[in-house]
Amino acid sequence: MSDSLGDSSDTSNSTTDSFAEFVPVLQLPPSLAALVDADRLIVQQDSYDKNVKRSSILNMYEVIANNSSDQWEKLISFQEESTHCMRAFCGNYRRFSMRGTVNGQTELVLERPLRCPANLCCCCPYELRVLRDGECVGSIGQVPSLAHNKFIIYDGDHYPQLVLKGPMFAYHCCLDLVFKLYSRSGGRSIGRLIRRWRDDQDVFHVAFPRDLHVRMKLLLMTATILIDFVYFGSH
């Protein structure tokens, strides 16, 4: 599969911080080992029948990653678990869980609490927790603001590690949605997350340094699902 990100000129080959110094070690199962050598991901929502009522749809995502040989391979699939009432009455603000599975084996669990639509209020930021074997791998939290769209990626102890910064207007119908990735110290961007506006489905292209800590790669991967719900989750 060709890389639709093109020339990622703002993605350096090494991070500005040594993530190994402050991010706890995460024991990866063999099924997710490809993530260690990956520097690009594609996160795609599975297609669904548009004639089916939205409240009947459980969202599903598939993630593929490039390996050290620059070949693409399927990494993991996610499937939503939520009630019909949540989907019917709460829409993209709903509470849900998602199981990330590889060959039928659950490897990750995503948990998102219910949030009210008034997301500009500081008491209602969007967030997503990522767990593996009951341990909190980390979380993604929105920073409410009228000036920009910003998300913080936290480690398992809720210390900020990475920042995703998007445009002020994320709903423009004729422009790609681009979130730039920064280390906790700021400076030059080290990666990016893109959704092409021409795509019929929700497809996110993610680029990051190959030597980024694998825990941060996992969290960046799941951050795309939260961003999809926040800005495109009418189902």
Side-chain angles (χ1 to χ4, degrees):
M1 179 178 296
S2 62
D3 176 20
S4 58
L5 278 172
D7 179 19
S8 182
S9 58
D10 62 349
T11 304
S12 61
N13 291 325
S14 61
T15 57
T16 55
D17 291 325
S18 176
F19 288 92
E21 293 180 359
F22 54 84
V23 181
V25 173
L26 177 68
Q27 297 299 324
L28 275 184
S31 56
L32 294 178
L35 197 57
V36 174
D37 293 322
D39 63 357
R40 284 167 292 165
L41 298 172
I42 295 178
V43 182
Q44 176 174 322
Q45 184 181 19
D46 284 359
S47 59
Y48 57 89
D49 187 348
K50 294 184 178 180
N51 294 319
V52 177
K53 290 181 64 176
R54 293 291 180 95
S55 59
S56 300
I57 297 171
L58 290 168
N59 283 330
M60 294 183 291
Y61 296 85
E62 182 175 288
V63 182
I64 60 175
N66 72 324
N67 55 31
S68 56
S69 302
D70 208 26
Q71 300 295 315
W72 292 88
E73 58 183 279
K74 182 177 177 179
L75 186 67
I76 191 170
S77 297
F78 290 93
Q79 180 161 351
E80 177 185 356
E81 296 177 350
S82 61
T83 66
H84 180 85
C85 287
M86 274 287 170
R87 296 191 299 275
F89 298 108
C90 299
N92 59 321
Y93 308 111
R94 64 184 178 269
R95 178 178 66 248
F96 66 77
S97 294
M98 274 195 183
R99 293 193 177 274
T101 60
V102 180
N103 298 323
Q105 179 72 31
T106 299
E107 301 292 359
L108 295 173
V109 175
L110 314 184
E111 293 183 348
R112 185 206 183 189
L114 175 67
R115 285 293 182 262
C116 74
N119 60 305
L120 294 178
C121 174
C122 294
C123 64
C124 299
Y126 297 118
E127 62 178 295
L128 183 73
R129 294 179 69 239
V130 183
L131 300 100
R132 170 165 163 73
D133 295 333
E135 173 197 356
C136 182
V137 176
S139 60
I140 302 93
Q142 181 196 33
V143 179
S145 172
L146 289 171
H148 53 245
N149 290 286
K150 182 178 178 181
F151 292 84
I152 305 293
I153 295 178
Y154 300 92
D155 63 18
D157 295 320
H158 205 65
Y159 289 114
Q161 304 293 354
L162 297 173
V163 179
L164 280 167
K165 291 183 180 179
M168 180 184 298
F169 301 106
Y171 300 94
H172 201 292
C173 64
C174 298
L175 293 175
D176 295 339
L177 175 64
V178 179
F179 277 82
K180 291 189 175 183
L181 179 68
Y182 297 87
S183 69
R184 62 175 183 173
S185 60
R188 184 184 179 188
S189 67
I190 60 171
R192 56 186 176 175
L193 183 158
I194 300 176
R195 183 189 187 276
R196 308 291 186 190
W197 74 273
R198 296 184 186 88
D199 289 343
D200 293 332
Q201 295 175 283
D202 290 346
V203 181
F204 290 85
H205 304 270
V206 189
F208 44 80
R210 194 177 296 274
D211 65 346
L212 184 67
H213 195 285
V214 68
R215 185 181 293 251
M216 296 297 106
K217 293 181 183 181
L218 275 176
L219 294 172
L220 185 58
M221 172 181 70
T222 56
T224 61
I225 295 176
L226 178 61
I227 289 174
D228 185 47
F229 264 84
V230 171
Y231 301 112
F232 306 100
S234 58
H235 49 282

mmCIF file of all heavy atoms in Angstrom, residues 214-231:
data_model
loop_
_atom_site.group_PDB
_atom_site.id
_atom_site.type_symbol
_atom_site.label_atom_id
_atom_site.label_comp_id
_atom_site.label_asym_id
_atom_site.label_seq_id
_atom_site.Cartn_x
_atom_site.Cartn_y
_atom_site.Cartn_z
ATOM 1 N N VAL A 214 7.038 3.021 22.308
ATOM 2 C CA VAL A 214 5.918 2.228 21.810
ATOM 3 C C VAL A 214 4.628 2.529 22.562
ATOM 4 O O VAL A 214 3.526 2.464 21.999
ATOM 5 C CB VAL A 214 6.264 0.723 21.871
ATOM 6 C CG1 VAL A 214 6.362 0.245 23.314
ATOM 7 C CG2 VAL A 214 5.240 -0.092 21.098
ATOM 8 N N ARG A 215 4.727 2.898 23.834
ATOM 9 C CA ARG A 215 3.525 3.268 24.589
ATOM 10 C C ARG A 215 2.884 4.515 23.989
ATOM 11 O O ARG A 215 1.659 4.620 23.895
ATOM 12 C CB ARG A 215 3.876 3.510 26.057
ATOM 13 C CG ARG A 215 2.669 3.788 26.948
ATOM 14 C CD ARG A 215 3.098 4.036 28.381
ATOM 15 N NE ARG A 215 3.646 2.843 28.991
ATOM 16 C CZ ARG A 215 3.034 2.138 29.947
ATOM 17 N NH1 ARG A 215 1.843 2.516 30.373
ATOM 18 N NH2 ARG A 215 3.602 1.075 30.468
ATOM 19 N N MET A 216 3.713 5.465 23.563
ATOM 20 C CA MET A 216 3.189 6.676 22.945
ATOM 21 C C MET A 216 2.581 6.377 21.572
ATOM 22 O O MET A 216 1.601 6.995 21.164
ATOM 23 C CB MET A 216 4.300 7.725 22.818
ATOM 24 C CG MET A 216 4.858 8.217 24.149
ATOM 25 S SD MET A 216 3.603 9.059 25.162
ATOM 26 C CE MET A 216 3.294 7.811 26.425
ATOM 27 N N LYS A 217 3.157 5.422 20.850
ATOM 28 C CA LYS A 217 2.578 5.022 19.566
ATOM 29 C C LYS A 217 1.182 4.438 19.767
ATOM 30 O O LYS A 217 0.257 4.725 19.000
ATOM 31 C CB LYS A 217 3.484 4.007 18.872
ATOM 32 C CG LYS A 217 4.832 4.553 18.430
ATOM 33 C CD LYS A 217 5.650 3.479 17.726
ATOM 34 C CE LYS A 217 7.030 3.978 17.340
ATOM 35 N NZ LYS A 217 7.833 2.960 16.626
ATOM 36 N N LEU A 218 1.038 3.600 20.787
ATOM 37 C CA LEU A 218 -0.274 3.033 21.095
ATOM 38 C C LEU A 218 -1.291 4.126 21.408
ATOM 39 O O LEU A 218 -2.427 4.101 20.925
ATOM 40 C CB LEU A 218 -0.165 2.083 22.287
ATOM 41 C CG LEU A 218 0.236 0.637 22.037
ATOM 42 C CD1 LEU A 218 0.369 -0.104 23.358
ATOM 43 C CD2 LEU A 218 -0.773 -0.062 21.142
ATOM 44 N N LEU A 219 -0.881 5.093 22.216
ATOM 45 C CA LEU A 219 -1.798 6.157 22.614
ATOM 46 C C LEU A 219 -2.128 7.075 21.444
ATOM 47 O O LEU A 219 -3.266 7.534 21.303
ATOM 48 C CB LEU A 219 -1.195 6.949 23.772
ATOM 49 C CG LEU A 219 -1.047 6.163 25.074
ATOM 50 C CD1 LEU A 219 -0.253 6.968 26.100
ATOM 51 C CD2 LEU A 219 -2.407 5.782 25.641
ATOM 52 N N LEU A 220 -1.150 7.339 20.597
ATOM 53 C CA LEU A 220 -1.406 8.158 19.415
ATOM 54 C C LEU A 220 -2.380 7.446 18.480
ATOM 55 O O LEU A 220 -3.269 8.075 17.890
ATOM 56 C CB LEU A 220 -0.087 8.454 18.706
ATOM 57 C CG LEU A 220 -0.128 9.401 17.507
ATOM 58 C CD1 LEU A 220 -0.704 10.755 17.897
ATOM 59 C CD2 LEU A 220 1.269 9.571 16.920
ATOM 60 N N MET A 221 -2.233 6.145 18.352
ATOM 61 C CA MET A 221 -3.151 5.349 17.536
ATOM 62 C C MET A 221 -4.584 5.479 18.043
ATOM 63 O O MET A 221 -5.521 5.704 17.271
ATOM 64 C CB MET A 221 -2.714 3.882 17.566
ATOM 65 C CG MET A 221 -3.670 2.905 16.912
ATOM 66 S SD MET A 221 -3.068 1.195 17.035
ATOM 67 C CE MET A 221 -3.276 0.870 18.792
ATOM 68 N N THR A 222 -4.775 5.370 19.353
ATOM 69 C CA THR A 222 -6.129 5.434 19.906
ATOM 70 C C THR A 222 -6.661 6.870 19.947
ATOM 71 O O THR A 222 -7.878 7.072 19.948
ATOM 72 C CB THR A 222 -6.158 4.827 21.318
ATOM 73 O OG1 THR A 222 -5.208 5.494 22.158
ATOM 74 C CG2 THR A 222 -5.807 3.350 21.271
ATOM 75 N N ALA A 223 -5.767 7.858 19.946
ATOM 76 C CA ALA A 223 -6.218 9.254 19.914
ATOM 77 C C ALA A 223 -7.005 9.550 18.643
ATOM 78 O O ALA A 223 -7.914 10.388 18.651
ATOM 79 C CB ALA A 223 -5.021 10.200 20.017
ATOM 80 N N THR A 224 -6.681 8.859 17.551
ATOM 81 C CA THR A 224 -7.415 9.083 16.306
ATOM 82 C C THR A 224 -8.885 8.700 16.458
ATOM 83 O O THR A 224 -9.764 9.326 15.856
ATOM 84 C CB THR A 224 -6.799 8.272 15.150
ATOM 85 O OG1 THR A 224 -6.864 6.875 15.453
ATOM 86 C CG2 THR A 224 -5.352 8.664 14.928
ATOM 87 N N ILE A 225 -9.164 7.678 17.264
ATOM 88 C CA ILE A 225 -10.550 7.250 17.467
ATOM 89 C C ILE A 225 -11.320 8.310 18.240
ATOM 90 O O ILE A 225 -12.465 8.640 17.906
ATOM 91 C CB ILE A 225 -10.583 5.888 18.183
ATOM 92 C CG1 ILE A 225 -9.967 4.814 17.277
ATOM 93 C CG2 ILE A 225 -12.012 5.515 18.581
ATOM 94 C CD1 ILE A 225 -9.861 3.442 17.916
ATOM 95 N N LEU A 226 -10.698 8.879 19.276
ATOM 96 C CA LEU A 226 -11.355 9.952 20.021
ATOM 97 C C LEU A 226 -11.607 11.157 19.123
ATOM 98 O O LEU A 226 -12.702 11.737 19.129
ATOM 99 C CB LEU A 226 -10.500 10.358 21.222
ATOM 100 C CG LEU A 226 -11.055 11.519 22.066
ATOM 101 C CD1 LEU A 226 -12.415 11.167 22.661
ATOM 102 C CD2 LEU A 226 -10.069 11.908 23.161
ATOM 103 N N ILE A 227 -10.624 11.544 18.326
ATOM 104 C CA ILE A 227 -10.779 12.690 17.428
ATOM 105 C C ILE A 227 -11.868 12.422 16.397
ATOM 106 O O ILE A 227 -12.653 13.310 16.046
ATOM 107 C CB ILE A 227 -9.430 13.023 16.761
ATOM 108 C CG1 ILE A 227 -8.474 13.619 17.804
ATOM 109 C CG2 ILE A 227 -9.611 13.990 15.596
ATOM 110 C CD1 ILE A 227 -7.069 13.842 17.306
ATOM 111 N N ASP A 228 -11.957 11.187 15.922
ATOM 112 C CA ASP A 228 -13.015 10.838 14.971
ATOM 113 C C ASP A 228 -14.390 11.013 15.604
ATOM 114 O O ASP A 228 -15.308 11.557 14.982
ATOM 115 C CB ASP A 228 -12.827 9.400 14.498
ATOM 116 C CG ASP A 228 -13.829 9.009 13.423
ATOM 117 O OD1 ASP A 228 -14.017 9.803 12.477
ATOM 118 O OD2 ASP A 228 -14.428 7.927 13.525
ATOM 119 N N PHE A 229 -14.546 10.585 16.849
ATOM 120 C CA PHE A 229 -15.828 10.747 17.537
ATOM 121 C C PHE A 229 -16.148 12.220 17.767
ATOM 122 O O PHE A 229 -17.283 12.659 17.590
ATOM 123 C CB PHE A 229 -15.806 10.006 18.878
ATOM 124 C CG PHE A 229 -16.401 8.628 18.813
ATOM 125 C CD1 PHE A 229 -15.634 7.549 18.404
ATOM 126 C CD2 PHE A 229 -17.722 8.406 19.149
ATOM 127 C CE1 PHE A 229 -16.170 6.278 18.334
ATOM 128 C CE2 PHE A 229 -18.278 7.139 19.085
ATOM 129 C CZ PHE A 229 -17.497 6.065 18.674
ATOM 130 N N VAL A 230 -15.158 13.000 18.166
ATOM 131 C CA VAL A 230 -15.400 14.402 18.507
ATOM 132 C C VAL A 230 -15.832 15.206 17.285
ATOM 133 O O VAL A 230 -16.780 15.999 17.342
ATOM 134 C CB VAL A 230 -14.139 15.027 19.137
ATOM 135 C CG1 VAL A 230 -14.303 16.534 19.290
ATOM 136 C CG2 VAL A 230 -13.857 14.394 20.498
ATOM 137 N N TYR A 231 -15.160 15.013 16.142
ATOM 138 C CA TYR A 231 -15.394 15.877 14.987
ATOM 139 C C TYR A 231 -16.216 15.245 13.872
ATOM 140 O O TYR A 231 -16.789 15.958 13.049
ATOM 141 C CB TYR A 231 -14.052 16.344 14.418
ATOM 142 C CG TYR A 231 -13.236 17.108 15.427
ATOM 143 C CD1 TYR A 231 -12.054 16.580 15.932
ATOM 144 C CD2 TYR A 231 -13.673 18.335 15.909
ATOM 145 C CE1 TYR A 231 -11.316 17.271 16.882
ATOM 146 C CE2 TYR A 231 -12.946 19.028 16.861
ATOM 147 C CZ TYR A 231 -11.768 18.491 17.341
ATOM 148 O OH TYR A 231 -11.049 19.168 18.291
#
